[in-house]
Structures are given as C-alpha cells and as structure tokens.
C-alpha cells in the first residue's frame, strides 16, 4: 500500500510539473498565447478600420473622377482625346422666334455619348 501511495504521489507531481513548468501545455504558455491572441485581435481591428478607410477613399476617388468628367463634358463641352465632337443645331420653324428660343434648342454629341447644351454654352472644338 505504501508503494501504491508513493507511485500515485509521483504521478501527481509529474502531472503538476507538466502543468506548471513544461514548454508545451503549461499554464504560462496558455497565458502567453491568450495575450498574443488579444494583441492580434487589436491589430486586426485597427487594420480592418484602416482597410475600410482606404476603401472609402478609393470609392470617393473613383466616383469623384467620374463625376468630374461628367460635369466637364456637360457643362464645359470637354471631350476626351481621340473623340470626335459633333454639334447638332435644330432649325427653327420661323426666324422671328429666335428670341424665345428654349434652353434645349440645341444639343451636342460625342462619339461615346450625348448631352444637352444651350446654344450659348456651346464651344467649337
């Protein structure tokens, strides 16, 4: 009985050693890994926030360039390099009504698309 108790005590000490001091599976390693996980989660969260910010900037730039180009085409009559500019002027039914001409009286077209423009806003290119 004495040997059995001594054997069980030895097994208990061996298990305790492994729990407290071993390189793998110890409580110290468990604590270290939990801290590392917490650090990585903070880092991941900050990187996610940065990615979202960069994504918003990219979308704003993409949308912004498209908006700027659209306004330049419509308001300023600008065309891209290599495009051909066409201006279509509709004939009036009578010459006497030229002062009451509407803002939609003429339109311009490019090779890629079309837009309305007043006769006063047209520029020859």
């Amino acid at each position: 009985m004495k040997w059995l108790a001594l054997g069980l005590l030895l097994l208990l000490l061996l298990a305790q050693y492994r729990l407290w001091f071993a390189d793998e599976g110890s409580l110290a390693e468990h604590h270290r890994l939990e801290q590392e996980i917490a650090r990585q989660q903070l880092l991941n969260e900050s990187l996610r926030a940065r990615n979202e910010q960069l994504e918003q900037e990219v979308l704003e730039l993409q949308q912004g360039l498209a908006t700027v180009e659209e306004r330049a085409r419509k308001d300023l009559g600008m065309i891209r390099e290599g495009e051909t500019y066409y201006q279509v002027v509709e004939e009036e039914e009578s010459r006497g009504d030229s002062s009451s001409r509407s803002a939609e009286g003429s339109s311009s077209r490019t090779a890629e698309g079309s837009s309305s423009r007043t006769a006063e806003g047209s520029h020859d290119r």
Side-chain angles (χ1 to χ4, degrees):
M1 187 75 160
K2 198 178 205 185
W3 290 103
L4 181 62
L6 187 61
L8 288 175
L9 183 62
L10 186 59
L11 281 175
L12 179 66
L13 289 175
L14 183 64
Q16 287 295 313
Y17 171 80
R18 192 155 182 246
L19 178 66
W20 293 101
F21 303 111
D23 289 337
E24 290 185 22
S26 69
L27 290 177
E29 183 187 21
H30 179 72
H31 182 66
R32 183 188 59 78
L33 289 174
E34 282 182 344
Q35 287 179 338
E36 188 175 331
I37 287 171
R39 277 194 307 270
Q40 285 297 321
Q41 286 174 339
L42 287 174
L43 179 64
N44 287 348
E45 200 57 40
S46 67
L47 290 175
R48 269 192 206 100
R50 174 127 169 87
N51 283 347
E52 288 177 15
Q53 179 185 13
L54 290 173
E55 185 177 341
Q56 288 297 323
E57 287 180 23
V58 166
L59 290 174
E60 287 174 9
L61 287 173
Q62 286 175 343
Q63 182 66 17
L65 291 178
T67 303
V68 167
E69 181 180 353
E70 178 184 343
R71 293 203 60 183
R73 287 173 169 275
K74 183 177 178 186
D75 298 340
L76 303 175
M78 298 185 95
I79 60 172
R80 288 184 181 163
E81 191 172 323
E83 281 184 335
T84 305
Y85 177 79
Y86 297 99
Q87 182 178 4
V88 178
V89 180
E90 297 176 9
E91 291 186 30
E92 297 179 31
E93 290 183 26
S94 65
R95 293 275 182 187
D97 290 341
S98 65
S99 63
S100 63
R101 196 163 131 173
S102 70
E104 300 167 0
S106 67
S107 65
S108 61
R109 297 189 185 275
T110 61
E112 288 188 7
S114 66
S115 64
S116 291
R117 181 176 312 140
T118 64
E120 295 82 27
S122 300
H123 300 289
D124 292 328
R125 302 238 187 269

